[in-house]
Amino acid sequence: MAVPVAASCVCVRLDKMFVLVFLCVCLIAKLCVSSEMVVTGAEKTCDALYRDGVQAYLEERWQDCIDNLEHALSSYRLLKQTTVNCRLTCHAAADETSPMGPKSVDDLQFFEKMIRKTLCLLKCNKHNPKDGLHGLPKSVLKEFEDLKPYEYLQLCYYQKNLLQKAASAVFTYLVNNPDNKVMQENLKFYSELPEVDMSEVVNFEARNYVSLYIHGAEAYQHEDYKSVISYIEESLEDYLRAEDECRAYCEGPFDQGWFPDFVSSIANHFTYCLKCKRRCPDKLNSLNGEKHQDLLASHYHFLQYAYYKVGNLRKACEAVASYLMFYPADETMMNNKEYYFKLPKVEKDFFTPREEAVEYVQRQEYELRLLDFIENEFSFKDGSENAIDINETENKSSLTKVKDSIIMGTVSKSKLFPPPIIKFEWPKYEINIKPNEEEYIIKHKGNVIKENLEHSSSARTEDEKRAEDKIKSQKKRAVEQLQRTAARNIKAVMGERELHGKHRFVAEGFANDSECSKLMNLAQVAAVQGDGYSGNKSPHTDFEKFEGVTLGRVALLVYLGLIEVDVLDLYLNLSEIGRDYLERYFNLKTELYFTYTHLVCRTALNDSPDNRSDMSHAIHADNCNLLENGECPKSPPAYTWRDFSAILYLNEDFEGGEFIFATDLTAKNVQSLVKPRCGRLVGFSAGSENPHGVRSVQRGRRCALGLWFTLNPFYEEIEHILAKQVLLQVQQEGSITDQLLHELEKHVYVGSSISHHKPTSTAIKEQLNLQDNYVKKSQIPD
């Protein structure tokens, strides 16, 4: 039977309507399910997720532990970012709004801006659940800030065999808490597992600028300068953004603990926020666990060189000027500025620092002056359980720094200095965990992975062996110290009372006339003018010539056969005796490490005037920056890792050149004076308690062996270690020249004119000049 056309159309419409209704029902159902899921997720707050994750950890429900803690961290990041974004947005909005009044009367414009920011924040934070980030319990908030969830997560990952993630969780925690011994042991444990690739271990909380900076440094090493510019510029932008966010996060609530009046409450809260903001650079200056105090400034170091390589001289000069905003007296960058300025296309106005660098440095200087005033004049309750004094923060030692040793010759100021090669390495922890142990126990509440010593007699044997080896090493070192000093009549002649200051002394008997003469002769033939000061022959005063020779240079000359091996032996031996005496005199419980050794001579120029009042070396402290007001902040560019110093004098046949302790930069208040003589040593701690300097050398040549020490083995002088190895090798096998002559003698008849005599001082000077040229060429890229 035929169906009418109209009827068929109606059927088609009904079918289409049915399909449409069915799709709508499905869509509504899906939306309801999604909405229900969102509501369910929203019901679980950040702290609730964290508590559930910890409870699952304690009950050994490892997957629930992972799910809850990962969601808790994600929720915390979202809350924190939302809070920070609100503050930054409201700051910008208030700054862009024109004030109601034409001028600020009774600071009304300031308060108007605060009111506008407050209104903006109220509207913005209205979308945050339960008062946003600061709705969390204080104890939970602190645990998130300390990255405590990763302590639990690493073990939960481990139990689920997610070993790569477990290692990354441990590393993430260590970046923020580098001194945690338990987590150091855990990282060592994971590094020994074959399933873990340490090159793939990441910091889950790292900002983008970290990887960008590392990529930029790697591109620099491969001489891909366009990529250097791209990576470093983006890294710089993200670093500054990260610091702005860190500073905005500091503007949180503050429990004053009392009820101050209007003005005091503002000042108190402001001080709390300002101290927090000054800690931001310390939090950000970490690259894979390595602390870099000059991380921000080093961006401009890379940029100046990369822009020069691609031919953009204006940008290069701007980067130079920007770097000098941070370190105005940096010799390397000053040399670079001079190099650029001599180029034909460079104009003076090219050296204009970039706007962000100017704003950053001006803000930093103002804040530091303000904090200094507050610290000296006021005492505010911090109100934060984990607050850190600003001075304490700035003095904290780094987890690790890049350790590059470059032996520098005399470098002309007309050369361009590139930024240093950055080597990114995993932090080296001293861990008492042996690889390939079969059994480990897990202490749930302590979160420890370690050896099960209760049923491992072999482990106890190894522990005993390590303890015995340590005792043997200590005894061996004590015997060596006694051997070095047995034949010497060393005695202290001045102490703290005579020198009118703490932690200082003068002792005699460290070297005899013959030994002093031998080192003086070494300086005569091997010292380099301006050594350590980029070739500046008179770095401290225009009326004296400065010369120096490092331990590494002496080792090189001995290895080449240019000087006798016993000269290096003497150099090392006298420095070791000085170190041994300082350890005993100051009753140190830990070993002192050499951090720098330098034989230096200062010679009065023939045309220098009589009765000079200038200083051969201005009053300074060895590990902090001595200021005119007497303060001495322990921060770069000072050698903050130095702990003790000593100077061993080699002669007295000159006029002037007395060593002095003083209390001020102008040396008007001299506490005590030490007259140099052969074998006399002055030793002191390297901090602000011992400002010192050298009076001008009026006539003749003054030589001394400078010794600087650290308690931190990381900063141990590489040249000192190498020099010992060279000494041992040459004593056993002869110098490279001796070895070559020995080989030649096998092929030459007896009547040959080959001579074994050491070269003359003129020949040594010629060899040194060739070596300096080689060093310079090897260090300056094409």
Side-chain angles (χ1 to χ4, degrees), residues 1-15:
M1 180 179 177
V3 179
V5 175
S8 65
C9 290
V10 171
C11 291
V12 171
R13 291 192 188 98
L14 287 174
D15 289 342

Side-chain angles (χ1 to χ4, degrees), residues 526-712:
V528 175
Q529 294 186 13
D531 188 38
Y533 292 90
S534 301
N536 186 352
K537 298 178 182 180
S538 303
H540 302 296
T541 171
D542 292 336
F543 304 112
E544 292 176 17
K545 178 177 65 176
F546 183 95
E547 300 168 285
V549 54
T550 62
L551 190 53
R553 187 178 179 82
V554 178
L556 178 62
L557 295 174
V558 169
Y559 180 73
L560 295 175
L562 298 177
I563 60 176
E564 299 287 349
V565 66
D566 61 346
V567 175
L568 176 58
D569 190 17
L570 176 64
Y571 198 140
L572 281 168
N573 193 40
L574 292 182
S575 63
E576 294 280 359
I577 294 172
R579 188 266 303 271
D580 297 343
Y581 191 84
L582 255 73
E583 285 185 0
R584 294 199 303 276
Y585 185 90
F586 290 116
N587 193 27
L588 301 180
K589 304 302 181 185
T590 57
E591 182 179 352
L592 276 179
Y593 298 90
F594 289 94
T595 187
Y596 190 49
T597 312
H598 204 197
L599 173 58
V600 297
C601 294
R602 308 164 190 271
T603 307
L605 300 179
N606 293 330
D607 57 351
S608 61
D610 295 331
N611 301 320
R612 288 162 42 204
S613 59
D614 60 311
M615 298 286 288
S616 178
H617 199 151
I619 300 298
H620 64 284
D622 284 345
N623 68 10
C624 57
N625 300 303
L626 189 61
L627 305 178
E628 291 182 356
N629 60 5
E631 294 183 1
C632 202
K634 198 172 181 181
S635 59
Y639 304 104
T640 56
W641 54 88
R642 292 180 178 175
D643 294 299
F644 290 91
S645 307
I647 300 99
L648 174 58
Y649 298 108
L650 303 178
N651 67 317
E652 56 183 302
D653 54 341
F654 55 89
E655 295 179 18
E658 298 89 353
F659 177 95
I660 60 174
F661 288 107
T663 60
D664 61 299
L665 283 170
T666 59
K668 291 181 179 179
N669 184 14
V670 175
Q671 294 175 307
S672 52
L673 177 149
V674 179
K675 177 68 177 175
R677 60 179 294 182
C678 171
R680 177 173 288 175
L681 180 141
V682 56
F684 48 95
S685 57
S688 59
E689 66 278 7
N690 281 316
H692 57 280
V694 180
R695 285 182 171 175
S696 60
V697 179
Q698 302 286 337
R699 292 288 182 272
R701 187 167 186 250
R702 174 193 190 272
C703 295
L705 182 61
L707 309 170
W708 291 269
F709 307 99
T710 178
L711 294 170
N712 188 343

Side-chain angles (χ1 to χ4, degrees), residues 370-382:
L370 187 55
L371 268 175
D372 182 64
F373 174 78
I374 293 170
E375 294 290 342
N376 291 330
E377 303 294 337
F378 295 91
S379 177
F380 286 109
K381 178 178 171 61
D382 199 323

Side-chain angles (χ1 to χ4, degrees), residues 46-47 50-51 54 76 133-149 152 249 385-386:
C46 181
D47 54 317
Y50 180 56
R51 285 196 303 269
V54 173
Y76 168 73
L133 188 65
H134 295 287
L136 296 176
K138 193 173 183 180
S139 59
V140 174
L141 183 59
K142 184 180 185 304
E143 296 211 348
F144 275 107
E145 290 174 349
D146 293 341
L147 302 184
K148 185 74 173 178
Y152 298 107
Y249 181 66
E385 294 178 1
N386 62 331

Side-chain angles (χ1 to χ4, degrees), residues 41-51 72 75 79 129-130 136:
E43 288 175 355
K44 257 193 174 178
T45 60
C46 181
D47 54 317
L49 287 166
Y50 180 56
R51 285 196 303 269
S75 177
L79 285 174
K130 294 189 67 175
L136 296 176

